[in-house]
Amino acid sequence: MTSQSQGIQQLLQAEKRAKDKLEEAKKRKGKRLKQAKEEAMAEIDHYRLQREKEFRNKQTNVMGSEGNLSAKIEEQTTEIVRNLTSSYHKNMESMMKKLLNTICDINPEVHPNFGHAV
């Protein structure tokens, strides 16, 4: 009987060792999965940053930087306003004279379509 109980004890111990090894393997697998997930996320983040950098470079090459565009537009607008103001001040006097001459100097004439009533 003692040999049977020793055999049973050995089987129970072997089963316990197998169970412990299985749990240890599961833990290692869980750690490895977690590590793989972290590595994948790091790789994805790196790829995303690289692609965003490429996109910004292409956008800058095609459109120029926004600050540059804003500065150019502001400069052009200021130049146009300056030119219009200068033109206004330069031509205002002569235009006022022409306008007043047209309004005040009336030369009465008979319209060509007016038929002579005889």
Side-chain angles (χ1 to χ4, degrees):
M1 224 12 174
T2 57
S3 67
Q4 277 187 341
S5 69
Q6 281 181 344
I8 293 174
Q9 288 297 325
Q10 286 177 346
L11 284 175
L12 289 174
Q13 287 175 354
E15 187 179 344
K16 185 176 186 280
R17 283 193 306 263
K19 193 176 189 182
D20 290 342
K21 284 186 179 185
L22 185 62
E23 286 180 24
E24 186 179 321
K26 284 181 182 181
K27 286 179 184 177
R28 281 196 312 259
K29 181 181 176 184
K31 284 181 183 179
R32 181 61 188 129
L33 283 174
K34 186 176 180 180
Q35 182 183 7
K37 183 177 179 181
E38 289 172 357
E39 289 173 0
M41 291 302 292
E43 190 174 329
I44 289 169
D45 289 341
H46 176 71
Y47 181 75
R48 182 183 305 124
L49 290 173
Q50 180 184 358
R51 296 298 287 176
E52 285 176 358
K53 183 179 178 183
E54 289 175 12
F55 174 73
R56 282 192 297 274
N57 287 339
K58 286 181 182 181
Q59 186 179 25
T60 301
N61 290 339
V62 171
M63 294 176 44
S65 65
E66 287 184 23
N68 231 359
L69 288 176
S70 296
K72 284 181 182 180
I73 291 171
E74 187 67 32
E75 184 180 318
Q76 289 174 351
T77 303
T78 304
E79 183 64 28
I80 290 171
V81 168
R82 189 179 311 122
N83 288 340
L84 287 173
T85 304
S86 171
S87 176
Y88 167 77
H89 287 298
K90 185 170 76 174
N91 297 319
M92 181 182 71
E93 192 66 35
S94 64
M95 283 306 297
M96 288 301 288
K97 285 182 183 178
K98 284 181 183 178
L99 187 61
L100 286 173
N101 284 338
T102 302
I103 293 173
C104 295
D105 294 340
I106 300 173
N107 294 328
E109 297 176 359
V110 175
H111 195 274
N113 290 340
F114 181 72
H116 294 300
V118 181

